[in-house]
Amino acid sequence: MEENRARLIAAARKAFADKGYAAASMDALTAEAGLTRGALYHNFGDKRGLFAAVVEQIDTEMAGRAKRHAAAAGEGWDALLAEGAAYIEMALDPEVQRIVLLDGPAVLGDPSQWPSQNSCLQVTREAIGALMGQGVLKPVDAEAAARLISGAALNAAMWIAASAEPEKVLPKAQEAFRALVEGLLAR
């Protein structure tokens, strides 16, 4: 059963990236996976359920990449900034653009309600709480700050993904993101 799930997710990921959610054919996708529509329905309920599984997989990979960037930047404040900048930069990846940033909100609704986004939010909230405890950040509500930082990174990434010239938008988005987040510094 897990092998079938993995095959369906892999085929769907390719189809959704290449064609987009609306144009991806479930018959072509299941044929690509060597399975039937019944396997799709059994494992995911419907096309939207399969799409949600693909988004969760990619979103989880994005979080891992962002955490690696954060770890490479060091600890504390530098890590927090690096993680946000890395997330924004991932908007240049065509698969991330199409599936997570463009089709994701249209099909699945508000990204802040996605389970994968909520786990990222928890990590950000904890990092902000620690930085406040160290006196690095102003004493504001950690959840509010985490939601605003996460929202700024997500909206910057969505702006890049929707842009006709994403490479030109990226540095503008990252510069503005940094300026916004620096407003939380205690100084």
Side-chain angles (χ1 to χ4, degrees), residues 40-128:
L40 183 148
Y41 295 129
H42 176 74
N43 284 283
F44 301 102
D46 59 11
K47 182 179 181 179
R48 187 178 183 280
L50 177 57
F51 184 75
V54 169
V55 168
E56 183 171 350
Q57 183 181 69
I58 295 170
D59 216 15
T60 300
E61 291 169 6
M62 291 172 68
R65 286 169 38 193
K67 286 177 187 174
R68 286 190 294 279
H69 281 271
E75 294 182 2
W77 175 249
D78 291 333
L80 183 68
L81 282 179
E83 189 169 354
Y87 184 88
I88 293 167
E89 188 171 344
M90 285 181 240
L92 295 178
D93 179 320
E95 182 182 56
V96 170
Q97 282 179 6
R98 171 61 73 84
I99 296 173
V100 176
L101 300 172
L102 297 175
D103 286 351
V107 175
L108 302 175
D110 180 4
S112 71
Q113 302 302 311
W114 300 351
S116 54
Q117 287 287 319
N118 283 324
S119 63
C120 290
L121 182 64
Q122 176 64 30
V123 170
T124 302
R125 184 176 36 238
E126 290 168 6
I128 288 169

Side-chain angles (χ1 to χ4, degrees), residues 6 17-18 49-50 52 58 79 82 91 112 127 132-133 137 139 145 147 155 183 187:
D18 292 347
L50 177 57
I58 295 170
S112 71
M132 280 192 267
L137 298 181
R147 286 186 178 279
N155 278 289
R187 297 187 198 201

Side-chain angles (χ1 to χ4, degrees), residues 124-150:
T124 302
R125 184 176 36 238
E126 290 168 6
I128 288 169
L131 289 169
M132 280 192 267
Q134 297 164 9
V136 174
L137 298 181
K138 294 173 184 171
V140 298
D141 184 82
E143 174 148 0
R147 286 186 178 279
L148 292 172
I149 289 171
S150 295

